[in-house]
Amino acid sequence: MNLELLQALKTAYNAEVEGMRAYLKFAKQTEVVSGKNMLIQLALDEIDHMELVGKFMEKMIKGEVYEGAEVPKGRLSGFMPDVSDASLQKTEKATVGDDEALKIALVHEEKARDFYLEQAEKADDPAAKKLFSDLAAVEQKHFEIIRAEMEFIQQDGFWFDMMEFSLEK
């Protein structure tokens, strides 16, 4: 059994647990519905990652070959409004706490991506290499979504770059 790979998988699993807890905590704290939804979806993605890493570890400990599984691409597109619907979406102002939560989330996603890329580089096992590479790609997508939301909030204070409908314009 490759103990270095097993330790990397344990680290990955624990990082996903930490991410899930942080996203749920932030979702509970924010009053912005669209932000709350995004954070909940990120937490659900972390649960998917935990399950995949856990299955890999379980097979490895039993001495079985891990056949691999597709890493879910994430659920975020399922609740993000279409551009054509954006003008109909009621949005809310973010708070300083929301901005801080996103900064923490951004750092978490960056660290996770970098860790998975490093582990993919080290891995001799093709299934482990694929798992780590796929997880890195998903974490990169999370990073990009969070960074975009931070930029939007910093510009005008609104989640998802949508202002409320106004006749004053």
Side-chain angles (χ1 to χ4, degrees):
M1 180 182 322
N2 183 337
L3 294 179
E4 187 177 342
L5 175 57
L6 184 59
Q7 185 57 46
L9 291 166
K10 285 180 182 179
T11 300
Y13 186 88
N14 291 334
E16 298 295 343
V17 169
E18 180 185 323
M20 178 212 43
R21 286 184 177 148
Y23 291 140
L24 290 175
K25 176 184 167 196
F26 297 149
K28 184 178 176 184
Q29 292 171 348
T30 188
E31 294 179 22
V32 178
V33 175
S34 55
K36 187 180 292 286
N37 288 341
M38 182 186 81
L39 292 163
I40 290 169
Q41 294 304 318
L42 286 169
L44 291 171
D45 285 352
E46 301 300 275
I47 292 170
D48 288 343
H49 302 168
M50 288 166 38
E51 290 174 354
L52 287 170
V53 171
K55 286 177 187 173
F56 196 109
M57 283 193 305
E58 185 179 310
K59 292 274 190 183
M60 188 176 175
I61 290 168
K62 290 179 178 178
E64 298 173 3
V65 175
Y66 184 76
E67 299 298 325
E70 283 299 310
V71 174
K73 298 300 180 206
R75 298 175 179 83
L76 290 172
S77 61
F79 79 91
M80 298 283 281
D82 291 333
V83 175
S84 61
D85 294 340
S87 63
L88 304 175
Q89 299 291 322
K90 183 178 185 306
T91 61
E92 301 166 76
K93 274 281 224 200
T95 67
V96 173
D98 295 330
D99 190 50
E100 278 303 307
L102 288 175
K103 286 178 185 173
I104 292 167
L106 191 69
V107 169
H108 171 77
E109 294 297 333
E110 184 175 36
K111 283 183 178 179
R113 178 203 60 212
D114 292 348
F115 174 78
Y116 288 135
L117 287 173
E118 179 183 324
Q119 295 308 312
E121 186 81 22
K122 286 185 194 177
D124 293 330
D125 181 317
K129 186 178 283 295
K130 181 175 180 352
L131 176 68
F132 287 132
S133 294
D134 290 351
L135 287 169
V138 173
E139 302 298 359
Q140 177 62 34
K141 289 287 186 200
H142 288 176
F143 178 87
E144 291 167 6
I145 290 166
I146 294 166
R147 185 179 59 205
E149 293 314 314
M150 285 178 63
E151 289 171 4
F152 291 139
I153 287 172
Q154 290 166 355
Q155 285 175 5
D156 60 18
F158 289 92
W159 280 86
F160 297 117
D161 197 32
M162 295 173 288
M163 299 183 76
E164 294 182 54
F165 177 75
S166 172
L167 295 174
E168 297 174 356
K169 292 188 174 192

